[in-house]
Amino acid sequence: MDPTFIYVLFGTFFLLLLLGAPITVSLGVSALAAFLYIGQNPVAFVQIAFTSVGSFPLMALPAFILAGALMEASGISRRLVDIAEAFAGPATGGLAAATVFACMFFGAISGSGPATTAAVGMLMIPAMVQRHYDRGYASAITASSGGLGVVIPPSIPMVIFGITGMGMMPPPEAVAAHGPFQTLSISKLFIAGVFPGMVMAGSLLTMNYFLSKKHGYRGLTDHWSTTSIKAALRRGIWSILAPIIILGGIYSGIFTPTESAIVAIFYTLVVGIFIHKELKLRPAMKTLETTTWISGRVLLILFTATVFGRLLVEQRVPAYIASAMLDFTQNMYIIWALIIMFLLFVGMFMETLAAIMILTPVLLPIMYMLGADPVHVGIVVVCALAIGFQTPPLGENLFVASGIGGASIEEISYRALPFAAASIIAVFVIAYVPEIALWLPRVLGY
């Protein structure tokens, strides 16, 4: 490995970031500078980048974004929130707990952290403030729960990890030491994300209970009402069926993740137009605009991050890092701790999808050499980076929640610290107990 190549690639990248350049520009310019340094034809830069956005699984990305936007416009997300509120009942901090559940439900549709925060926050933050929750706390629990949108399947970051990881074969030395590895697929990642998502949600609910008890945030009602629960379920039956149809179709093998996204769009249009009768032409056109903007932004990052990652692999940077780390220690628990802390740090400063594209070629060879399942690695990477949505300075969910609730970024960040700590503990549990992620795929025959 040429040390000067590293200086050119990462030096240009970090210099541009310090100058305030967008992540896409930083990745693209640094990769192009490295291409010119090693004497490769810049045309290859464009060819690699163009190929990166031409894969079939990637079609699921704009489709899931559109499905999530349509479900918000058609009243499906509001009915999911109503169901979560009905089940929260008299529980301490019930409205905040309902926010966590609502983010789980909506995360099973949108696949996006900021989209989940926006859809649920529009309804829940004003409701919590009205019931005398601190404005900063209401925004913090919403921003923290919004990260579940990328952990609960379907998940856009899982799609990106799958696309990146499927092209990387286990090193021959790893196969010789540990035997054949399980194949990596987006469907398997989606299935593996179910229980880890519940663990992450459980950590937030537990922290919310103790904080709500401390601050005196009472439940929504004096007792659970069977009548209210039945009424919410009756009004929201079509909303509940949305994640069941999407995930059930994937898990049963009826359709692929890409096809499920199209099914989600079709289902939402039928429910919004003919059943709820709330999806009008102007809001529908607005969802197309939102989808185009978000998809374009994601694809631009993917376009440049692929070239950046390919350069790392071709120059054997991941192999060098893997060798150095394994020389330091081969203890799986220590390796996981180092990787998780590194991912948490990266998530504070880098957009999640770009981080996955860059770090997957580095992390997978290390974990293959230790005999780790690539699906488990993907789940831990996504869970760890999801915490970056609620930690400054990048913290996209913080900005979304601040815009909705009116609290300052500083206040929300401070209030979100306990939830970030609870989420970090959950990530360590998921990393150290692989069966949390791998049990369900095995039961379903993957």
Side-chain angles (χ1 to χ4, degrees):
M1 184 185 69
D2 183 2
T4 308
F5 168 83
I6 300 298
Y7 299 146
V8 172
L9 183 64
F10 285 98
T12 307
F13 176 67
F14 287 116
L15 176 62
L16 289 170
L17 285 181
L18 289 173
L19 293 174
I23 185 72
T24 304
V25 174
S26 301
L27 287 168
V29 172
S30 58
L32 182 59
F35 254 90
L36 295 174
Y37 170 75
I38 60 179
Q40 287 198 21
N41 189 338
V43 174
F45 174 98
V46 180
Q47 291 173 335
I48 295 170
F50 182 78
T51 304
S52 70
V53 296
S55 63
F56 176 73
L58 197 59
M59 290 174 60
L61 191 147
F64 276 127
I65 294 173
L66 177 58
L70 284 171
M71 287 181 182
E72 183 181 355
S74 62
I76 287 178
S77 60
R78 189 180 69 254
R79 286 167 172 81
L80 289 174
V81 169
D82 291 341
I83 293 170
E85 288 182 356
F87 276 98
T92 300
L95 199 54
T99 301
V100 178
F101 282 116
C103 286
M104 287 180 65
F105 284 134
F106 195 77
I109 299 168
S110 73
S112 165
T116 300
T117 303
V120 176
M122 290 278 192
L123 303 168
M124 299 304 290
I125 294 178
M128 282 189 276
V129 172
Q130 189 176 2
R131 286 185 173 268
H132 309 297
Y133 281 72
D134 180 84
R135 191 176 295 274
Y137 184 88
S139 301
I141 184 67
T142 306
S144 302
S145 304
L148 297 173
V150 303
V151 179
I152 301 287
S155 162
I156 294 171
M158 286 184 191
V159 173
I160 300 302
F161 181 90
I163 292 171
T164 308
M166 283 188 289
M168 299 182 60
M169 301 303 295
E173 307 96 300
V175 176
H178 304 287
F181 286 82
Q182 294 292 319
T183 57
L184 181 65
S185 71
I186 294 172
S187 297
K188 193 185 296 186
L189 284 167
F190 279 4
I191 296 171
V194 173
F195 286 141
M198 292 181 180
V199 171
M200 297 284 285
S203 70
L204 295 176
L205 289 168
T206 303
M207 181 58 68
N208 172 66
Y209 173 80
F210 287 111
L211 291 176
S212 295
K213 199 168 184 178
K214 175 183 177 182
H215 297 299
Y217 299 145
R218 300 183 179 277
L220 290 166
T221 58
D222 293 330
H223 59 275
W224 272 285
S225 170
T226 306
T227 305
S228 299
I229 292 174
K230 286 182 178 178
L233 289 172
R234 189 165 51 250
R235 289 193 303 270
I237 183 64
W238 295 103
S239 300
I240 295 175
L241 286 175
I244 292 175
I245 290 173
I246 294 169
L247 299 179
I250 296 172
Y251 297 168
S252 62
I254 296 175
F255 38 71
T256 67
T258 303
E259 293 165 345
S260 74
I262 308 303
V263 171
I265 293 172
F266 180 77
Y267 177 86
T268 305
L269 289 173
V270 171
V271 171
I273 296 173
F274 299 107
I275 299 177
H276 292 168
K277 298 180 180 178
E278 295 183 18
L279 186 59
K280 307 302 181 184
L281 182 61
R282 186 178 294 274
M285 292 296 103
K286 183 68 176 178
T287 63
L288 294 175
E289 178 185 330
T290 301
T291 302
T292 302
W293 185 85
I294 296 176
S295 299
R297 176 171 166 266
V298 170
L299 290 175
L300 278 173
I301 293 173
L302 184 66
F303 197 86
T304 51
T306 299
V307 184
F308 195 99
R310 179 73 68 84
L311 278 169
L312 291 177
V313 173
E314 289 181 351
Q315 298 300 312
R316 297 187 57 79
V317 176
Y320 177 81
I321 295 174
S323 175
M325 186 171 285
L326 293 174
D327 287 342
F328 172 70
T329 179
Q330 294 195 17
N331 185 299
M332 179 70 86
Y333 297 106
I334 296 177
I335 293 288
W336 266 131
L338 293 172
I339 288 175
I340 290 171
M341 298 310 295
F342 177 66
L343 290 171
L344 292 172
F345 176 77
V346 169
M348 293 171 62
F349 298 95
M350 189 179 293
E351 204 276 342
T352 303
L353 302 183
I356 290 174
M357 292 292 297
I358 294 171
L359 296 178
T360 299
V362 176
L363 297 179
L364 262 185
I366 297 172
M367 302 315 292
Y368 273 135
M369 293 301 294
L370 292 171
D373 188 294
V375 173
H376 180 225
V377 175
I379 296 300
V380 176
V381 168
V382 171
C383 289
L385 290 174
I387 299 174
F389 283 112
Q390 68 189 76
T391 52
L394 187 60
E396 293 174 78
N397 288 4
L398 298 176
F399 291 96
V400 173
S402 176
I404 295 171
S408 67
I409 295 293
E410 292 78 12
E411 182 182 1
I412 300 174
S413 300
Y414 174 74
R415 295 282 191 173
L417 286 177
F419 298 110
S423 298
I424 290 170
I425 293 171
V427 172
F428 273 94
V429 171
I430 294 165
Y432 288 169
V433 187
E435 285 300 296
I436 294 175
L438 301 179
W439 179 80
L440 188 59
R442 187 168 60 249
V443 168
L444 295 178
Y446 281 85

